[in-house]
Amino acid sequence: MNVLAIGAHPDDIDIYAGGTMLRYVERGDTVKFCVVTSGDIGHYKYSREELSAIRREEQLESAKIAGVETKFIGLPERIVDDNPTRDAIINVIRWANPDVIFTHWPDDSSVDHHIIGNIVKQALLCLKWKNQQTEYPPIDKLPKVFFWEPNGGFNYQPEQYVDISAQMEKKRSMLACHKSQVELEQDYMHCIEAMGMYRGLQAGCAYAEGFKAHLSFENPPDYRLLP
């Protein structure tokens, strides 16, 4: 099975779905990451150019631990919902040819997260049309989409959980690669650990990640695709 995770910034995929991605890799699925923006705003110390380069290398280091391929779209942070951004998202979905996509919940309070979640769910019906021209050709399949939770989990109750207890140590190693963010937010690792334990408590295991499915008449959910 082909799995695609689309994150707004370097480290988003690792934070919200890193353990789940590791489970897919461990069972032999093909997993690809897409990072939409360069993450070039979020720091006090570095220029935008410096931070973009740093965060790209951090993401590549993390992806190496996970054993996944990563595509960088390279947009600046604070994206807008326009045709070029939509074309870029459609292009990367066609590149990965996924059976299932993981991305941001559209009601996330982060502007970048919110826009990307919306674009992904709205792009699905464009994937097969040849008049929607991108670098990669149209695909016939209609991927299922799962949304991970926003930071802190506010106003979000998962529909399904993935037990990541066995993957948590490796997820910590992935997160530790994002040194620019760890040094920026002193509670970075603590918050991620706490959310994993909280969702694990709800799911009856040590650590878990929670997800909601994209619901539409054309593309009903299939929870069996979760690992």
Side-chain angles (χ1 to χ4, degrees):
M1 188 167 76
N2 294 339
V3 180
L4 173 63
I6 303 176
H9 314 103
D11 83 348
D12 280 341
I13 299 169
D14 301 355
I15 291 172
Y16 304 112
T20 300
M21 296 304 106
L22 288 170
R23 285 195 58 157
Y24 280 120
V25 171
E26 289 168 7
R27 77 178 196 181
D29 294 310
T30 298
V31 179
K32 295 183 178 181
F33 288 3
C34 168
V35 179
V36 177
T37 82
S38 59
D40 57 344
I41 291 179
H43 211 285
Y44 303 111
K45 184 189 302 182
Y46 307 107
S47 71
R48 296 184 74 156
E49 293 76 16
E50 290 171 332
L51 185 57
S52 177
I54 289 168
R55 297 199 69 185
R56 180 186 178 93
E57 289 307 310
E58 291 173 346
Q59 181 61 59
L60 288 172
E61 184 181 353
S62 172
K64 186 176 181 180
I65 292 173
V68 303
E69 182 179 358
T70 301
K71 179 177 282 291
F72 297 90
I73 294 180
L75 298 177
E77 282 198 72
R78 302 176 72 180
I79 61 172
V80 295
D81 187 346
D82 58 10
N83 284 335
T85 304
R86 286 174 173 262
D87 290 348
I89 297 294
I90 293 169
N91 187 57
V92 83
I93 296 173
R94 288 173 168 176
W95 161 74
N97 192 27
D99 299 288
V100 59
I101 299 171
F102 290 80
T103 193
H104 298 280
W105 189 43
D107 288 338
D108 196 311
S109 60
S110 162
V111 174
D112 289 341
H113 296 183
H114 158 74
I115 289 175
I116 290 167
N118 268 324
I119 289 177
V120 169
K121 73 177 185 179
Q122 294 166 3
L124 296 176
L125 298 182
C126 299
L127 297 175
K128 66 179 180 180
W129 303 119
K130 67 179 182 180
N131 288 337
Q132 174 66 58
Q133 296 181 356
T134 60
E135 176 186 358
Y136 293 91
I139 59 175
D140 291 329
K141 68 176 69 171
L142 193 58
K144 304 299 183 182
V145 176
F146 291 100
F147 301 115
W148 56 63
E149 65 183 307
N151 194 27
F154 293 105
N155 300 314
Y156 179 100
Q157 179 57 48
E159 297 167 347
Q160 296 287 319
Y161 300 88
V162 174
D163 182 351
I164 63 163
S165 304
Q167 290 73 35
M168 193 60 197
E169 190 58 40
K170 199 167 188 178
K171 176 174 176 172
R172 292 188 188 99
S173 297
M174 293 167 64
L175 294 166
C177 294
H178 300 281
K179 296 180 179 64
S180 67
Q181 304 307 294
V182 174
E183 72 179 15
L184 181 68
E185 303 176 38
Q186 293 183 349
D187 60 352
Y188 181 90
M189 299 293 283
H190 170 74
C191 289
I192 298 166
E193 186 98 12
M195 285 305 300
M197 293 177 67
Y198 177 55
R199 296 308 183 193
L201 179 66
Q202 293 178 321
C205 56
Y207 292 94
E209 292 168 343
F211 302 96
K212 287 177 176 286
H214 171 50
L215 306 175
S216 73
F217 176 78
E218 300 86 359
N219 192 20
D222 186 352
Y223 297 106
R224 296 170 298 178
L225 295 177
L226 291 169

